[in-house]
Amino acid sequence: MALLVLTPALYLPTSTSNGTEIVVFLAILAFILTFAEYNSAFPSFIEFRDAPPVNRLRFVGLMSMVSFLTLICKNAYAPTELTSSIYSVGLAVAAVVDFPYSPVRLVVLMLPAGASQPLIELVRISASVAYVAALVTIASFAYAVKMRGWPVGNGAFNVWTNLPLFDPTKGGDVVTRLRRDGKLNISLGVLLPFLIPALIKITTDYVDPLSLSNPQTLIWTLSAWAFLPASMIMRGMATLRIAGLIVEKRRAYSTAETTQTA
């Protein structure tokens, strides 16, 4: 996690005099929080910590976004053979996913009217790469659920450690609540890539727009835009899967009781 936070700052120039100190502080904080969470017997707020590969896929997905976007932005400052190759791949990806009414097109339209053509192209390529990385992350988790039977292969699923923010005793049937939460997370995850650019565009009349001309701001903004919806969709898929397992357990228990009674 510390390396993830440091990656853009290691390759790209900082915009403020104290930017380096802020990045180092955030990297240390991310390391401490992650280390404390995974070495504690009591969960705090990180979900699915004992149900791999959910958080591993999330980390790999976010790390891929940040790394690729960092190399794409570096190509504008100090191009190398590697950055030029990644930039060329980004152009090819953008040609596929940047079409009318797509989330990538909405991100480009979010830019102010006076944005330069190089900035528009950089945002277009970066948004395309981040969005595709998010789709690959979701597809990887879907494969783990459908083909590998997640989380059955990891042993018993402990709701308390893997869903610390979910209270199974708080009113209503657990299965109904899990299904409702799962569908809500998937719906929001699908809609957010469209809603976020639209909301930012609307609010530019009242607040200063984000300065995506700063490479580090661009990287973290577009990574968050792509990663947060992907993470919500993965959470929704996971909770729906857990609800299905609970239903199967109930059905098996009911069948066993009926057999014993007979």
Side-chain angles (χ1 to χ4, degrees):
M1 288 300 296
L3 180 61
L4 170 65
V5 175
L6 288 172
T7 297
L10 292 174
Y11 288 93
L12 299 171
T14 57
S15 59
T16 59
S17 58
N18 58 348
T20 303
E21 290 80 0
I22 295 174
V23 171
V24 171
F25 171 76
L26 292 176
I28 295 174
L29 182 62
F31 168 78
I32 293 174
L33 290 176
T34 305
F35 181 83
E37 176 68 26
Y38 279 90
N39 286 274
S40 172
F42 305 99
S44 58
F45 63 93
I46 297 180
E47 297 182 326
F48 305 110
R49 70 173 203 174
D50 294 329
V54 181
N55 290 335
R56 295 174 186 175
L57 288 174
R58 285 174 172 171
F59 175 78
V60 171
L62 182 57
M63 188 69 183
S64 300
M65 295 177 196
V66 172
S67 299
F68 285 134
L69 266 59
T70 299
L71 293 174
I72 290 171
C73 290
K74 187 182 179 183
N75 189 68
Y77 295 92
T80 63
E81 185 174 347
L82 175 61
T83 60
S84 299
S85 300
I86 298 297
Y87 190 87
S88 300
V89 172
L91 277 174
V93 171
V96 175
V97 298
D98 180 22
F99 52 87
Y101 306 108
S102 70
V104 174
R105 181 65 59 87
L106 294 178
V107 170
V108 175
L109 294 176
M110 175 187 73
L111 295 172
S116 63
Q117 187 59 38
L119 176 60
I120 295 175
E121 191 69 9
L122 181 61
V123 170
R124 173 175 171 267
I125 294 173
S126 299
S128 301
V129 171
Y131 192 66
V132 169
L135 294 178
V136 171
T137 303
I138 296 170
S140 300
F141 182 62
Y143 172 80
V145 172
K146 297 295 184 181
M147 306 302 295
R148 304 298 295 272
W150 178 93
V152 175
N154 300 320
F157 185 87
N158 191 315
V159 176
W160 178 57
T161 58
N162 291 303
L163 290 172
L165 303 179
F166 179 80
D167 185 4
T169 65
K170 186 180 178 181
D173 182 62
V174 173
V175 173
T176 302
R177 292 174 55 205
L178 285 173
R179 285 176 172 171
R180 183 179 64 245
D181 291 351
K183 293 176 181 178
L184 178 62
N185 275 272
I186 292 175
S187 300
L188 288 176
V190 172
L191 291 175
L192 279 180
F194 298 90
L195 292 178
I196 292 175
L199 291 175
I200 292 177
K201 185 67 175 178
I202 292 172
T203 57
T204 52
D205 295 334
Y206 307 99
V207 297
D208 292 334
L210 293 172
S211 178
L212 294 182
S213 58
N214 184 320
Q216 294 197 38
T217 302
L218 184 147
I219 290 169
W220 290 115
T221 300
L222 294 183
S223 295
W225 164 77
F227 175 76
L228 291 178
S231 182
M232 293 183 69
I233 292 174
M234 291 173 63
R235 186 184 188 279
M237 295 167 60
T239 52
L240 288 176
R241 170 63 173 166
I242 295 164
L245 291 176
I246 294 175
V247 171
E248 292 177 6
K249 287 287 185 181
R250 288 178 176 177
R251 187 180 297 115
Y253 182 75
S254 177
T255 303
E257 277 193 337
T258 304
T259 304
Q260 290 177 0
T261 303

